[in-house]
Amino acid sequence: MNLINKIILLITIIFIISCDDMILNLDYELPFEEKLVIHGFYENTEQFIRVRISKSIPALQEPTLENTLVDDAECFIKFDNTEVKLIHTTDSYYMNELPIEFEIDKEYELNVKWKNKTAKVINRIPKLPEVISIDTNTVSNRYGTYLQVNLNVKSRDTGFLFSSHLFTNELSLNRIFSHTLLDNKNREYIFNILEIDYLYLSGDYMERYLDYEFSIGIASLDFNNYYSTRMEGYSGNDIFGNNGINVEGNIKGDAIGYWYGYQTWSGLIRDYFQKDK
Amino acid sequence: MNYELGKSWELGLAWIFGSGQAFTLPTSAYHDNISGYNQVRYNFSERNGVRAPSYHRLDLNFMHKFEMYNIPWVFSINIFNAYSRRNPFALYLGYDYSTFGEETKTVKQITLFPIIPTFGLSFEF
């Protein structure tokens, strides 16, 4: 084989090698730290609450009910000088053995111990803002012109104020979750509770909505940390599939997750509506 | 490093080594089913908290000097990444699917450049 043939053979081999797949499976152990995963809410109208306590597993495994189950954790809710035990019921859900009268503006502490892991969170149900009045204004955007019904409130506490507000137009009647942050006490806020498309309006349009019952709710201000990151924590099947942002919560210790208190309240538009404004 | 292989041939050799690049990758998985849906969520490492395998490659360069038409010529063969090391450009969590549709999670690696041969011919005048 002369030199030219050898070079051609070498080039051919190299070209064939170059055609290999450039995405490969890596035999790589990702670092793993087992954590408790705690999810739960409580409200002032419920005496028995459910808290889900499970555990995280290595990222390369698929979480199931069985492999994330934690059924032997010690779980307590502490308030004043009282301690109420939560017991495992089913599927990693824990419930309090004795009824608890959850009071507004009182701190409740959730404690969880499992193996050598501990988790703790202190939370309270904030006070609802004072409803001063309800008025309307007109807004226009590229989708149309809408009548907005606004709740004028004065905060008595800081908190995450939310509502499932009604949005109506010719074709549909939708409920949209909306929220605002009350980050100062004793300050006035405007909160939209109802939107009506002008195309849908005729006659004394507000008359038919005066008996509309709106409802608002409030959770602690740090609920916004969870709410604004609740869609994170995903990893898709490609190079740009994750942005590395975790779902945030308020649990401290060897755990991830959240436990928030909230309250809701309902009222009639008629009772607060100021027609002339 | 450069070696002279006779009067007209020259061999050049360069080996490059670097510690692995840092990435942000999931370190654990869990269920978020408070809303009633069993959604799989991941808890990510700290920003750039996972180290990829190290980077290395060998580049070779053969040069042959000769004279033609009374001008000096250089013919060169360059081989980038001579042992075709699969150096990581990016890592991500991906899925493999079996013929029965079962999925398996793996760490996938994207490599940019395998072995790349190039040829050159230059002359001076």
Side-chain angles (χ1 to χ4, degrees):
Chain A
M1 194 183 279
N2 63 26
L3 183 65
I4 298 295
N5 287 342
K6 282 179 186 170
I7 290 173
I8 290 171
L9 180 66
L10 178 69
I11 291 167
T12 311
I13 292 168
I14 288 170
F15 271 112
I16 289 168
I17 293 170
S18 318
C19 294
D20 201 0
D21 190 3
M22 289 294 101
I23 298 178
L24 33 123
N25 291 342
L26 203 63
D27 187 15
Y28 187 76
E29 281 295 316
L30 288 167
F32 169 60
E33 190 188 357
E34 187 179 63
K35 288 200 167 186
L36 285 165
V37 179
I38 300 169
H39 292 145
F41 291 101
Y42 64 96
E43 59 179 316
N44 56 326
T45 54
E46 298 284 336
Q47 293 183 333
F48 288 93
I49 60 159
R50 290 203 312 168
V51 179
R52 189 165 196 273
I53 303 169
S54 57
K55 63 178 179 178
S56 64
I57 59 166
L60 290 177
Q61 291 176 21
E62 195 63 36
T64 62
L65 200 59
E66 290 74 31
N67 65 14
T68 60
L69 183 77
V70 172
D71 56 4
D72 54 349
E74 288 175 43
C75 185
F76 295 93
I77 291 176
K78 292 180 187 172
F79 55 97
D80 299 332
N81 293 317
T82 313
E83 195 173 85
V84 177
K85 190 178 181 187
L86 278 76
I87 50 167
H88 181 254
T89 54
T90 178
D91 298 345
S92 283
Y93 282 102
Y94 289 70
M95 278 186 82
N96 41 325
E97 277 182 318
L98 302 168
I100 303 173
E101 297 281 350
F102 288 104
E103 292 174 34
I104 289 156
D105 203 26
K106 181 188 272 189
E107 285 191 337
Y108 293 89
E109 182 179 317
L110 177 75
N111 275 280
V112 180
K113 282 183 192 166
W114 181 67
K115 292 184 178 172
N116 55 348
K117 295 176 175 49
T118 56
K120 177 179 156 180
V121 55
I122 300 171
N123 201 252
R124 67 182 178 88
I125 301 172
K127 287 181 268 186
L128 275 168
E130 178 193 353
V131 178
I132 300 166
S133 64
I134 290 176
D135 58 38
T136 59
N137 69 305
T138 302
V139 288
S140 291
N141 59 29
R142 60 181 173 153
Y143 302 110
T145 304
Y146 299 90
L147 182 78
Q148 273 189 347
V149 180
N150 301 311
L151 201 62
N152 298 299
V153 296
K154 187 174 182 186
S155 61
R156 284 187 278 220
D157 201 345
T158 61
F160 180 97
L161 185 68
F162 59 90
S163 161
S164 165
H165 90 247
L166 193 67
F167 176 87
T168 72
N169 61 24
E170 266 185 310
L171 304 171
S172 61
L173 197 83
N174 299 306
R175 288 202 169 270
I176 303 167
F177 184 85
S178 59
H179 73 278
T180 195
L181 300 180
L182 310 182
D183 43 13
N184 275 304
K185 279 184 188 176
N186 302 317
R187 219 184 84 184
E188 291 190 10
Y189 291 86
I190 296 171
F191 188 47
N192 179 226
I193 50 164
L194 179 65
E195 269 181 294
I196 313 159
D197 192 331
Y198 261 107
L199 290 170
Y200 190 61
L201 300 174
S202 60
D204 192 356
Y205 52 85
M206 269 313 291
E207 194 59 40
R208 82 177 82 160
Y209 287 103
L210 286 178
D211 289 322
Y212 170 70
E213 188 181 70
F214 64 93
S215 65
I216 54 172
I218 192 165
S220 59
L221 193 60
D222 63 352
F223 178 72
N224 189 50
N225 294 344
Y226 166 72
Y227 184 75
S228 55
T229 58
R230 71 196 188 286
M231 307 304 278
E232 307 293 350
Y234 279 105
S235 183
N237 188 19
D238 63 68
I239 183 175
F240 303 112
N242 83 66
N243 55 9
I245 299 173
N246 290 321
V247 180
E248 286 187 33
N250 59 348
I251 310 276
K252 308 277 182 251
D254 310 309
I256 45 181
Y258 51 82
W259 189 65
Y260 292 106
Y262 70 97
Q263 63 163 317
T264 55
W265 174 81
S266 299
L268 288 178
I269 286 184
R270 182 184 296 280
D271 296 338
Y272 300 94
F273 185 56
Q274 292 185 344
K275 202 170 184 178
D276 298 334
K277 196 169 177 183
Chain B
M1 283 192 291
N2 284 311
Y3 289 99
E4 286 192 2
L5 305 166
K7 281 186 179 176
S8 63
W9 282 92
E10 198 177 304
L11 167 68
L13 184 149
W15 190 65
I16 294 118
F17 179 88
S19 57
Q21 211 180 321
F23 289 93
T24 307
L25 284 173
T27 53
S28 64
Y30 63 96
H31 263 154
D32 179 4
N33 66 349
I34 196 77
S35 53
Y37 301 102
N38 278 336
Q39 294 184 353
V40 176
R41 299 295 172 114
Y42 294 96
N43 201 46
F44 291 95
S45 63
E46 288 175 14
R47 181 83 45 192
N48 296 325
V50 177
R51 185 71 60 177
S54 55
Y55 178 101
H56 54 89
R57 66 169 209 261
L58 176 70
D59 297 341
L60 295 175
N61 165 243
F62 297 96
M63 278 199 306
H64 177 54
K65 294 172 186 169
F66 60 98
E67 218 171 86
M68 204 163 59
Y69 308 118
N70 284 328
I71 50 173
W73 294 75
V74 179
F75 171 70
S76 61
I77 301 172
N78 302 294
I79 303 174
F80 174 89
N81 194 3
Y83 52 87
S84 202
R85 156 82 177 169
R86 299 302 199 251
N87 283 309
F89 168 70
L91 301 183
Y92 65 92
L93 203 66
Y95 296 90
D96 280 337
Y97 298 96
S98 72
T99 45
F100 303 106
E102 291 169 348
E103 59 180 34
T104 317
K105 277 193 268 186
T106 56
V107 178
K108 293 204 176 265
Q109 174 188 296
I110 294 180
T111 300
L112 283 188
F113 302 113
I115 184 169
I116 299 175
T118 56
F119 303 92
L121 187 64
S122 62
F123 61 92
E124 289 176 18
F125 58 91

